Amino acid sequence: MPDSAYFDQWYADMSSPARDAIVARAMGLPVELGDAGVLSWPGIGELTRELRLAPGGLLLDIACGRGGYGIEVARRTGARVAGVDFSSVAIERAKQNGARRLPAGRAQFQTGTLVATGLPTGAADGLMCVDAVQFAVPPLAALLEFRRLLRPGGRLAVTCWEAEDPSDERVPARIRAVDLRRDLTRAGFLGVEVHEKPEWREAERAMWEDAVAADASDPAVRSLQAEGRLSLATFDSLRRVFATAAAP
């Protein structure tokens, strides 16, 4: 599994306006977001609604990367955001994005892992994890940590991919291990709902196709192209999922 050093290098290498522009265009993301991931602008709206945050509430963004998505949800709801990622490079950029896009005191970011965040028990009103739960071994361990962090009734929103066929060895083992309906139930969450999101998946296909066709003079774009070719080769073996639940 990739470690923090791998992701430090990955975040350092991916920092490119040309790369971010390809992703942001396909996902419909504004440039000021400061974090071009593969959750679309409409997807951020869905996630925000499902978290049901009140002004002043505490949102945790676990595996936050450069922080853009959690910061955007905090902007829309008036919540505070605390982000955790095990890449120190990502955390430094998240701090910069938070300082740029939120009032002082509304954002904090620290290093930690999916299964050991270093955050206090039962403090969060909402928790989001965008496209990263597969990096916990097993994913259930991350979901148990998420339950620990949420207050009773606190809302959880998780986006990820699942294998169409868990026995398909073309799919990375970490994705084949993801079964959000099963594991959210095992972790003790209530009101578990898992929805397939084909429209998100089609936006992702468009992003990979745009990336493969792009000018390859930028090293970060070349890296995105390599990832895109791999993804497109087995694209129909994965489904995009969005899960929500509440802490008991």
Side-chain angles (χ1 to χ4, degrees), residues 5-22:
Y6 170 91
F7 276 103
D8 281 345
Q9 190 62 53
W10 187 76
Y11 278 110
D13 291 345
M14 73 183 283
S15 296
S16 155
R19 179 204 178 276
D20 282 355
I22 292 169

Side-chain angles (χ1 to χ4, degrees), residues 2 11 19 22-23 31 33-34 36 48 78-79 100 105 119 148 150 183 185-186 210 215:
Y11 278 110
R19 179 204 178 276
I22 292 169
V23 180
V31 173
L33 191 75
T48 302
R100 179 172 54 85
L119 297 170
R148 181 187 72 80
L150 284 164
D183 286 346
T185 301
R186 287 180 178 177
D210 284 354
D215 185 309

Side-chain angles (χ1 to χ4, degrees), residues 88-99:
S88 59
V89 172
I91 288 298
E92 286 308 308
R93 294 183 180 163
K95 289 177 179 177
Q96 295 167 12
N97 285 335

Side-chain angles (χ1 to χ4, degrees), residues 7-191:
F7 276 103
D8 281 345
Q9 190 62 53
W10 187 76
Y11 278 110
D13 291 345
M14 73 183 283
S15 296
S16 155
R19 179 204 178 276
D20 282 355
I22 292 169
V23 180
R25 183 167 58 249
M27 295 296 130
L29 303 175
V31 173
E32 61 268 21
L33 191 75
D35 188 358
V38 292
L39 179 63
S40 68
W41 192 245
I44 298 173
E46 292 182 62
L47 185 147
T48 302
R49 289 191 294 274
E50 289 293 341
L51 285 168
R52 304 175 193 172
L53 291 159
L58 177 61
L59 168 66
L60 303 184
D61 184 2
I62 308 302
C64 64
R66 294 179 290 175
Y69 287 129
I71 291 166
E72 178 62 24
V73 174
R75 278 170 53 87
R76 295 185 185 195
T77 61
R80 297 167 291 133
V81 61
V84 172
D85 198 280
F86 72 173
S87 168
S88 59
V89 172
I91 288 298
E92 286 308 308
R93 294 183 180 163
K95 289 177 179 177
Q96 295 167 12
N97 285 335
R100 179 172 54 85
R101 302 197 71 225
L102 287 172
R106 287 265 304 280
Q108 65 179 65
F109 297 93
Q110 66 184 56
T111 54
T113 72
L114 284 157
V115 300
T117 59
L119 297 170
T121 298
D125 299 289
L127 187 151
M128 58 187 281
C129 182
V130 174
D131 300 343
V133 73
Q134 72 272 16
F135 290 111
V137 183
L140 175 60
L143 300 178
L144 289 167
E145 174 72 349
F146 298 169
R147 181 185 168 191
R148 181 187 72 80
L149 295 169
L150 284 164
R151 63 164 179 79
R155 297 283 297 171
L156 174 72
V158 177
T159 69
C160 197
W161 299 266
E162 293 180 349
E164 289 285 359
D165 176 1
S167 67
D168 185 349
E169 294 188 356
R170 297 176 303 160
V171 177
R174 63 177 177 269
I175 298 294
R176 284 186 278 132
V178 177
D179 185 330
L180 290 176
R181 187 178 302 281
R182 177 196 67 197
D183 286 346
L184 284 166
T185 301
R186 287 180 178 177
F189 282 95
L190 303 177

Side-chain angles (χ1 to χ4, degrees), residues 10 14 18-29 35-40 66 69 131 161 199-214 221 223-229 231-232 235 240:
W10 187 76
M14 73 183 283
R19 179 204 178 276
D20 282 355
I22 292 169
V23 180
R25 183 167 58 249
M27 295 296 130
L29 303 175
D35 188 358
V38 292
L39 179 63
S40 68
R66 294 179 290 175
Y69 287 129
D131 300 343
W161 299 266
E199 67 275 24
W200 296 6
R201 189 71 172 140
E202 285 309 307
E204 189 180 350
R205 186 198 297 271
M207 179 195 74
W208 293 131
E209 290 173 346
D210 284 354
V212 169
V221 172
S223 177
L224 188 68
Q225 289 175 326
E227 188 177 354
R229 292 186 185 100
S231 295
L232 289 169
F235 193 84
R240 196 81 161 93

